Amino acid sequence: MRQFDLASAPLTIIGTGMAGLNLARAVRSRDPRRAITLISADSGDEYAKPLLSSAFTKRQTASALVVRDAVGIAESLNVQLRTHTLVDAIDTGRRCLHIGAETLPYGQLVLATGAAPWQPFDVDPALRNRVFQVNDLDDYRRLRDVLDRHPERQARIAIIGAGLVGCEFANDLHAGGHRVALVAPETAPLPRLLPPPLGRALGDAFKEAGIRGVFERQTTALNDNGEGVTLTLNDGETLEADLVLIATGLRARTGLAEAAGLAVSSAGILTDRILATSDPSIHALGDVACVDGLGTRPDGGLNAMYVQPLQASAKALAATLTGTPTPVSYGAWPVMVKTPLLPIAALPPREPPHHWRIEGEASDFSALAEDENGRLLGFALTGRCVRRKVELARAAPPLLG
Ligand SMILES: Cc1cc2nc3c(=O)[nH]c(=O)nc-3n(C[C@H](O)[C@H](O)[C@H](O)COP(=O)(O)OP(=O)(O)OC[C@H]3O[C@@H](n4cnc5c(N)ncnc54)[C@H](O)[C@@H]3O)c2cc1C
C-alpha cells in the first residue's frame, strides 16, 4: 500500500459533519502537531445529525443541539476551521482547491461532503416557508421557526416519503402535537429496511396513534392554495396541508469529485478499503463515499449512510493518514429506527435475500433474511422482538468484513 509523504501539509478536510469532525479528532489524537485545515459550507458547528428527527418531542431547538461551535472546535483540536466556505473546484494536478477567486494548496485531501436531499419534482420557490427538507441543523432551524409560530401547535403536516427520515419525523411531529399524514408510493413504511408485513405493523401503529398513511400514491405537484399547500396525488386525489416535509432520499454529493476527474458512481465517490479515491492523494468517507461498493444504493436506499460506518472509517483513515495504511471494516451493525410508536431494529442484507423467514404476531415480529441454504444475511425486528438484535447481529455477516 502507498506510504504518504508526511512532510506535505496541511491535511485538508472538506466537510465538518460527523465524518469530517470524527476524522479530524482521530488524526489529532495520533499526531498533535500535524497542520489540519477544515472547510465547511455551513456554520461548522458540531451536532449529532441523527437527533434532528427526534428533537421536536424533546423540545430541543437547533441551538440546543449544538455540542460545540466552530471556534470551540478550532481551539480544542488546534485546527484551522473555515466556515461558510464553499469549495468550488479541486485541481488535482496542482493540488489546490478553488474557493471563489482564492487558490488554496493542500497536502493530502479528504472529501467528507456528505449527501444532499433529493426530490422527485420541482417546488415553487414561493413555497419556501411551507415546504421543507431536513438534512442539517440550518434546515431544522428553519422548520422549527415556522412550526413554533404555528398557532396551537396543531399544524397539518404532510410528509412525503416513508423511509427512515420520513417515518422518524412522522413519529416525532405527531408526538409533538401536530396532525401528520405520511404519503408514499410504496405499500407500507420503511420499504428498504423492512419486509412488507413488518412495514405494515409500523403503518398500523402509526394509524392507531392518529398518523394518516397515504400509501401507493405518488405526489405529482405542490401548489400554494393561499392558506397552505395542496398536494396533488397521481390518482387525482388532493391533500391539504399547512406544511410539507419532503423526505424522499439523499444522494451522495459527488459533484466536486466528478468535476475533478475522480471515479464516482450513483452510489458515491468510489474508494478502496483504505478509503483512497482514484487519486491516491485524495480520500473520502461518510455519506459521500462508496467504500468497496458499499454506498447509496442505486434505488435511493441507504446501506452504509449511517454513523457507525463513518466512525469506523474515521478511525481507519486517521491511521492511514498518519503513516499506517489501514483498511476499514464494517461490522453487522443494525440501524435503530427512532419510532417509539413501534421500536424497530434492522440490518438490511447487502443483496436481496432468497427469502424472509418471518415469525411473530400483533406488532412483535422477527424477520430473518436468508440465502437458499438458510444462512442469515440480515434481519428486521419490531416491537418486543427488538431485544434479539444483539444475538442476531452476532450471527449475521459483517457489512464489510
Ligand atoms: C434526520 C436524520 C436522521 C438520521 N438518523 C440516523 C440514525 O438514527 N442512525 C444513524 O446511524 N444514522 C442516521 N442518519 C444518518 C447520519 O446522520 C449520516 O450518515 C451522517 O450524519 C453523515 O455525516 P457526513 O459527515 O458524511 O455528512 P454531512 O453531515 O452531510 O456533512 C457534510 C459536510 O460537507 C460540507 N460540504 C458539502 N459540500 C461542500 C463544499 N463544496 N464545500 C465546503 N463544504 C462542503 C457541508 O457543509 C457539511 O459540513 C440520519 C440522517 C438524517 C438526515
Side-chain angles (χ1 to χ4, degrees), residues 58-198:
K58 294 182 193 140
R59 297 176 183 274
Q60 286 171 308
T61 60
S63 308
L65 290 172
V66 175
V67 178
R68 195 172 303 206
D69 67 13
V71 175
I73 295 166
E75 278 174 9
S76 67
L77 291 180
N78 184 24
V79 296
Q80 250 211 19
L81 174 44
R82 297 183 54 166
T83 60
H84 301 293
T85 302
L86 185 74
V87 175
D88 297 313
I90 305 165
D91 183 337
T92 55
R94 292 173 57 215
R95 285 194 171 212
C96 63
L97 304 178
H98 292 289
I99 300 170
E102 182 189 354
T103 301
L104 191 71
Y106 61 79
Q108 294 158 333
L109 180 64
V110 178
L111 302 176
T113 47
W118 174 82
Q119 63 186 46
F121 45 79
D122 290 334
V123 177
D124 181 351
L127 285 172
R128 66 182 167 279
N129 286 328
R130 293 197 178 274
V131 179
F132 299 86
Q133 291 177 310
V134 178
N135 184 44
D136 62 29
L137 205 53
D138 286 337
D139 294 339
Y140 183 67
R141 185 171 285 118
R142 279 191 290 275
L143 174 69
R144 281 300 298 264
D145 282 352
V146 173
L147 274 178
D148 291 348
R149 273 186 272 127
H150 208 275
E152 318 272 317
R153 304 181 83 209
Q154 284 266 317
R156 295 166 302 164
I157 304 176
I159 299 178
I160 303 175
L164 178 133
V165 172
C167 286
E168 291 190 351
F169 271 109
N171 199 137
D172 194 41
L173 295 172
H174 163 79
H178 296 292
R179 289 174 285 163
V180 175
L182 190 59
V183 188
E186 294 89 1
T187 54
L190 295 178
R192 281 174 284 275
L193 288 180
L194 304 179
L198 279 74

Side-chain angles (χ1 to χ4, degrees), residues 15-19 40-42 49 85 87 112 114 287 305-307 338:
T16 58
M18 298 182 86
S40 178
D42 59 35
K49 190 184 281 199
T85 302
V87 175
D287 280 2
M305 288 166 100
Y306 296 111
V307 172
K338 299 181 287 296

Side-chain angles (χ1 to χ4, degrees), residues 304-326:
M305 288 166 100
Y306 296 111
V307 172
Q308 279 174 304
L310 73 79
Q311 286 172 331
S313 297
K315 206 169 157 204
L317 185 51
T320 298
L321 294 173
T322 51
T324 310
T326 304

